[in-house]
Amino acid sequence: MYDSKVNEKLTAYQYLLKDKLSGDKNRELIALLKDLKLAGRQVSKELNTGALAGSLGDYTGSKNSHGEKVKKLDLIANNLFIKSLENGGNCAGVVSEENEKIVIFNNENSKNSKYIVLIDPLDGSSNIDVNVPVGTIFSILKKPKSSKKLTSKDFLQEGKKQVAAGYIIYGSSTIYVLTVGKGVDAFTLDPYVNEFYVSQTNIQIPENARMYSVNQGNFFEFPLALQEYIRWCEQKDVKTGRPYSLRYVGSMVADLHRSLFKGGLFIYSQAKNAPEGKLRLMYECNPMAFIVEQAGGLASDGKKNILSIKPKSIHQKSPIFIGSSTMVKMVSKYLKSKLFS
Ligand code: AHM
Ligand code: MG
């Protein structure tokens, strides 16, 4: 006897094909998402065997596009994603945090592809060697039709043009969170069969919450308005449930994954010592903003919506205030207030 409800467990691929990306026109996008998933599985394995495989520690060869130290695992992840994307032939080129210039693929399939990818292959560098969750963040855009030979200008599109965005969190389990502009879904890696299965569908971020996430060590570097907002979070107020709880992992994927499910506000602000903040617009802020908005939350740079920023360069930075809508609105109110300018 066959009962379709028994052991019903869809893989990411089956779910997308059935519910989110049905039809022939989506085949290339599904294949591209599969290329990313494939590399994500390999990165997950590298992280799980870290010290045993000799892959922890700094890579002594070079610095990344921001002049920052590179971890061995940063480089391993970058190579795995770029190779997988090249071999898959489902995207024309890549912007990666680890490469100063764009990477253009020259094989026939890639050249004819509709898509381009922007990626932070392994985010959370300071947590890589110490078994704290890190993650991959990616954004998928359409290659402009006018583009004959891919250039960095082709990548300079506003976040609202994203076709898909996702992150893979390598934590106590490996979870692939994805939006293709039709809500947000999560797929958990079953390590025994090495496959991602649907675990949460149509995720909604709570509208309000009592958790904020910020590197409070930078407090006195922050704009006065943000200092005031943080003080407001710390004050006791029964009606609004304050004081709020401070939660800061220092991996954007981990802090935002928690916020997505439990609600909260994640802050990476401009500061006296970092006028544009630290996080990169194109492959950190934009994809996270797309995911959070698709889950019902908001993302702002303090003045405007992250997804409407017109990028000027592929590695540009942006301040970000992202999470539960009520909390983003409140911090924005402080930031826009003339009282603290
Ligand atoms: P990275 O791309 O070099 O890993 O930096 C990004 C990470 C984010 O995941 C995290 O939110 C932030 O850096 C933490 O920075 P800080 O240590 O300044 O708080
Ligand atoms: Mg990063």
Side-chain angles (χ1 to χ4, degrees):
M1 189 179 112
Y2 169 68
D3 182 343
S4 64
K5 289 279 173 281
V6 176
N7 296 339
E8 188 181 40
K9 211 164 94 170
L10 293 181
T11 65
Y13 176 73
Q14 290 165 338
Y15 175 76
L16 290 173
L17 207 60
K18 181 169 166 274
D19 275 36
K20 300 274 153 119
L21 293 171
S22 57
D24 273 355
K25 65 176 191 315
N26 291 315
R27 291 287 158 143
E28 190 183 358
L29 182 56
I30 292 199
L32 172 53
L33 293 168
K34 209 168 158 194
D35 300 336
L36 289 160
K37 193 184 73 175
L38 185 69
R41 286 200 309 230
Q42 290 169 297
V43 171
S44 181
K45 180 177 152 275
E46 289 292 335
L47 286 163
N48 285 339
T49 48
L52 302 177
S55 47
L56 300 189
D58 291 340
Y59 171 69
T60 47
S62 68
K63 295 189 169 178
N64 72 5
S65 53
H66 309 276
E68 297 158 347
K69 262 192 178 172
V70 174
K71 294 278 177 194
K72 279 189 209 164
L73 276 163
D74 277 324
L75 199 78
I76 292 170
N78 192 40
N79 287 344
L80 286 170
F81 276 101
I82 292 185
K83 260 284 151 250
S84 183
L85 291 169
E86 181 174 27
N87 291 340
N90 300 298
C91 85
V94 180
V95 160
S96 163
E97 180 178 341
E98 301 304 331
N99 294 79
E100 193 184 337
K101 296 201 171 121
I102 63 168
V103 179
I104 303 173
F105 299 137
N106 283 318
N107 60 68
E108 272 320 300
N109 287 340
S110 304
K111 275 200 265 184
N112 295 324
S113 165
K114 291 201 287 282
Y115 300 106
I116 48 182
V117 171
L118 301 100
I119 191 164
D120 182 353
L122 203 53
D123 184 64
S125 295
S126 66
N127 286 325
I128 284 180
D129 288 341
V130 289
N131 225 17
V132 174
V134 289
T136 297
I137 312 172
F138 66 85
S139 161
I140 300 177
L141 293 167
K142 281 234 170 90
K143 182 177 75 179
K145 288 216 171 76
S146 56
S147 168
K148 295 275 172 284
K149 189 179 179 305
L150 203 62
T151 70
S152 54
K153 278 207 185 94
D154 296 326
F155 289 82
L156 299 179
Q157 304 180 34
E158 294 158 83
K160 59 182 166 207
K161 301 251 174 76
Q162 290 173 104
V163 173
Y167 64 80
I168 304 172
I169 177 167
Y170 310 100
S172 46
S173 47
T174 295
I175 304 179
Y176 180 8
V177 174
L178 177 71
T179 183
V180 293
K182 297 176 186 168
V184 182
D185 304 297
F187 310 92
T188 300
L189 182 66
D190 180 339
Y192 298 102
V193 289
N194 205 20
E195 189 56 79
F196 283 95
Y197 289 98
V198 182
S199 46
Q200 286 97 359
T201 55
N202 295 321
I203 299 162
Q204 288 293 308
I205 184 169
E207 201 180 313
N208 200 3
R210 295 188 48 257
M211 276 189 264
Y212 69 108
S213 200
V214 64
N215 184 341
Q216 196 135 344
N218 291 330
F219 185 87
F220 292 106
E221 300 290 318
F222 291 150
L224 199 55
L226 182 58
Q227 293 184 18
E228 286 299 321
Y229 172 75
I230 293 172
R231 288 286 174 249
W232 180 83
C233 293
E234 293 169 338
Q235 279 156 14
K236 194 173 167 73
D237 178 59
V238 179
K239 204 168 138 227
T240 51
R242 287 177 288 139
Y244 291 164
S245 296
L246 172 63
R247 295 278 185 278
Y248 193 67
V249 177
S251 283
M252 190 193 202
V253 276
D255 283 312
L256 271 176
H257 191 70
R258 184 195 55 249
S259 306
L260 196 60
F261 287 90
K262 298 200 161 184
L265 173 68
F266 174 86
I267 297 171
Y268 210 106
S269 172
Q270 64 272 57
K272 277 185 223 148
N273 54 1
E276 304 300 325
K278 172 184 181 189
L279 301 181
R280 292 73 169 182
L281 175 67
M282 306 291 297
Y283 42 81
E284 293 178 324
C285 302
N286 271 344
M288 289 306 200
F290 189 25
I291 293 167
V292 165
E293 288 211 357
Q294 282 290 316
L298 285 175
S300 164
D301 72 349
K303 292 192 190 101
K304 55 183 172 308
N305 189 303
I306 289 284
L307 297 177
S308 62
I309 298 175
K310 288 195 185 357
K312 294 192 182 73
S313 66
I314 52 176
H315 293 297
Q316 98 182 45
K317 295 176 182 175
S318 171
I320 186 165
F321 305 84
I322 177 170
S324 294
S325 58
T326 304
M327 298 184 82
V328 175
K329 282 180 196 156
M330 181 56 112
V331 71
S332 303
K333 205 164 134 187
Y334 270 85
L335 295 170
K336 286 174 188 160
S337 163
K338 291 215 173 17
L339 271 179
F340 309 113
S341 58

